[in-house]
Amino acid sequence: MRYLFFTNTPAHVHLYKYAVRELQAMGHDVLVLGRDYGCTKDLLEYYDLPHEIYGSCGTTKYSLFKSLPFHYVNIFRAVRRFKPDLIFGMGGYAAHAGAVSRTPVVLLLDSEPTSLDHVVSRPFAKAILTPHTFGKDLADNHYQFRGFKETAYLHPDVYEPSVDIRAELGLDPDEQFVVVRFNAFGSHHDVGHGGFTPERRRELIEMLGERATVFVLDESEERRDGDLDTRPFDFHPALVHDVLAEASLLVADTQTMVTEAALLGTPAIRSNSFVGDDDMGNFVELERQGLISNLKSFDDVMARAEELLADDGAKARWADKRDAFLADKVNLTDVIVQVALNYGSVETVDSLTRHTVPA
């Protein structure tokens, strides 16, 4: 069989990396089509995945829209050359590549607010897979698995630290450190949304820096830390989960990394304009389980961060809560591989997904 995977962001590389390796080990032909966005290309090279880059994209809101025609031309050419039997992806690129090449498509979606993606992609999908917390019913071929997309690479069955990250970062064994993650809000689904202002970013980093070592991961092309006391982001992006696992706290106005921190047993604070009554189901569930804090008020963010950093027992309690939460969650890589091998059987896809969700 010939399988094609789309990795438009760094998170997509992590989502599919183990499935790609397993299918290759079984003797199947696999190609990953990647977008040069953030550290996506670096990760594809680091994990030595068979890939082609179909285009690039900046972190401004209009960069993607300007690049779309070139992306689609390159994608369609690559699909014609590779002739896949099945395509995996998370939105329009994969769906439209399948429609043009008449190839079945499996979409893996996890964001309810990205309605435009759903509209332009679901008519072309053979199957749509979502987490059990997903708050929309998209179609008759919509299946749920018990877990999140991040359980493809952070489930205890597949994740283990790859290095001594404290030695890698030059940290003392008992040195407390915090990861701060800022989003560029440059994707199409980010239009109209935002996170910390530059002034609040500075105030947050100054407060955290008085209590711990601070690593700032800023997706924006216009980062300006000035004279703030922070450690440079000089480790390979493939090590970010090892960093998160060891951190005392994550504070972020982004999305994926918050879920990753929760699944690694690290307290996380999330604050952006998505927080509210219509928030994504996975963040609502993680907060209900006591693993993250979704906060709109900046004053609440500051107070909660101070509280967690002063709590010496927080990391141990979070590890226990993480273990309890993941006890009945699937290793999503196993699901992806079995769907790839059995995509022609609706009954098999159904048994791999819905049976993991309580009735």
Side-chain angles (χ1 to χ4, degrees):
M1 297 288 290
R2 300 174 69 82
Y3 298 105
L4 179 67
F5 291 83
F6 277 84
T7 58
N8 307 324
T9 71
H12 298 173
V13 179
H14 293 300
L15 167 62
Y16 291 124
K17 63 186 178 185
Y18 293 122
V20 168
R21 287 176 175 175
E22 288 194 29
L23 291 168
Q24 281 186 297
M26 294 176 185
H28 299 286
D29 293 321
V30 184
L31 176 64
V32 179
L33 283 183
R35 182 171 65 193
D36 187 4
Y37 174 80
C39 60
T40 302
K41 184 178 179 182
D42 292 336
L43 292 175
L44 289 168
E45 293 172 352
Y46 181 89
Y47 293 116
D48 194 25
L49 300 180
H51 69 276
E52 294 180 15
I53 300 299
Y54 63 77
S56 62
C57 179
T59 59
T60 62
K61 284 185 168 63
Y62 303 105
S63 175
L64 173 60
F65 295 105
K66 290 190 296 184
S67 303
L68 276 176
F70 304 100
H71 289 178
Y72 273 113
V73 168
N74 292 334
I75 286 168
F76 294 154
R77 286 174 176 168
V79 172
R80 281 199 300 269
R81 286 195 305 270
F82 185 65
K83 297 182 174 61
D85 297 301
L86 183 64
I87 296 173
F88 283 88
M90 294 193 70
Y93 286 140
H96 300 155
V100 169
S101 63
R102 298 184 179 181
T103 306
V105 177
V106 175
L107 297 177
L108 206 159
L109 308 176
D110 73 336
S111 176
E112 296 94 329
T114 56
S115 298
L116 178 60
D117 259 351
H118 304 159
V119 169
V120 302
S121 61
R122 66 184 177 186
F124 309 104
K126 182 176 184 64
I128 300 171
L129 310 182
T130 72
H132 66 291
T133 56
F134 196 83
K136 290 181 178 179
D137 185 2
L138 295 179
D140 291 339
N141 61 342
H142 174 186
Y143 305 96
Q144 293 185 330
F145 57 90
R146 188 161 184 80
F148 303 138
K149 79 175 190 295
E150 292 82 5
T151 56
Y153 55 96
L154 294 180
H155 191 278
D157 288 352
V158 293
Y159 173 75
E160 59 180 30
S162 57
V163 297
D164 179 350
I165 200 62
R166 284 189 171 273
E168 189 81 14
L169 299 176
L171 297 170
D172 295 333
D174 58 350
E175 185 174 349
Q176 186 168 235
F177 73 93
V178 178
V179 176
V180 180
R181 170 65 166 172
F182 295 133
N183 195 353
F185 291 94
S187 298
H188 67 274
H189 55 259
D190 292 327
V191 173
H193 288 282
F196 297 118
T197 65
E199 294 77 15
R200 286 179 168 175
R201 290 183 181 200
R202 185 178 184 86
E203 186 178 346
L204 173 66
I205 294 171
E206 286 179 340
M207 183 275 289
L208 294 172
E210 294 172 357
R211 293 159 176 80
T213 299
V214 179
F215 290 90
V216 177
L217 311 184
D218 194 341
E219 192 180 49
S220 172
E221 296 174 348
E222 299 178 355
R223 176 182 167 188
R224 297 291 184 271
D225 276 352
D227 58 353
L228 292 177
D229 185 16
T230 64
R231 290 286 184 95
F233 174 35
D234 56 3
F235 50 85
H236 194 283
L239 302 180
V240 70
H241 300 125
D242 295 352
V243 175
L244 278 180
E246 189 69 16
S248 299
L249 174 67
L250 168 73
V251 183
D253 61 8
T254 187
Q255 310 277 55
T256 297
M257 198 170 285
V258 172
T259 303
E260 292 173 338
L263 299 186
L264 291 165
T266 296
I269 298 171
R270 168 177 169 263
S271 183
N272 56 39
S273 58
F274 287 101
V275 173
D277 294 338
D278 297 322
D279 208 347
M280 290 169 57
N282 62 313
F283 295 117
V284 174
E285 174 68 7
L286 289 172
E287 184 168 51
R288 190 175 71 84
Q289 297 296 330
L291 287 165
I292 70 172
S293 299
N294 298 308
L295 303 172
K296 270 192 173 295
S297 165
F298 183 69
D299 289 341
D300 290 344
V301 170
M302 297 284 277
R304 181 61 171 156
E306 289 186 74
E307 176 187 0
L308 287 168
L309 288 176
D311 184 350
D312 293 335
K315 280 287 285 186
R317 292 200 312 279
W318 255 252
D320 290 341
K321 288 190 284 189
R322 180 272 317 273
D323 291 344
F325 178 71
L326 287 176
D328 63 348
K329 304 303 183 294
V330 298
N331 171 1
L332 181 57
T333 289
D334 286 346
V335 174
I336 293 170
V337 170
Q338 290 305 312
V339 168
L341 298 176
N342 300 281
Y343 72 92
S345 169
V346 173
E347 293 78 10
T348 301
V349 176
D350 187 69
S351 69
L352 288 166
T353 52
R354 289 195 188 278
H355 83 280
T356 67
V357 183

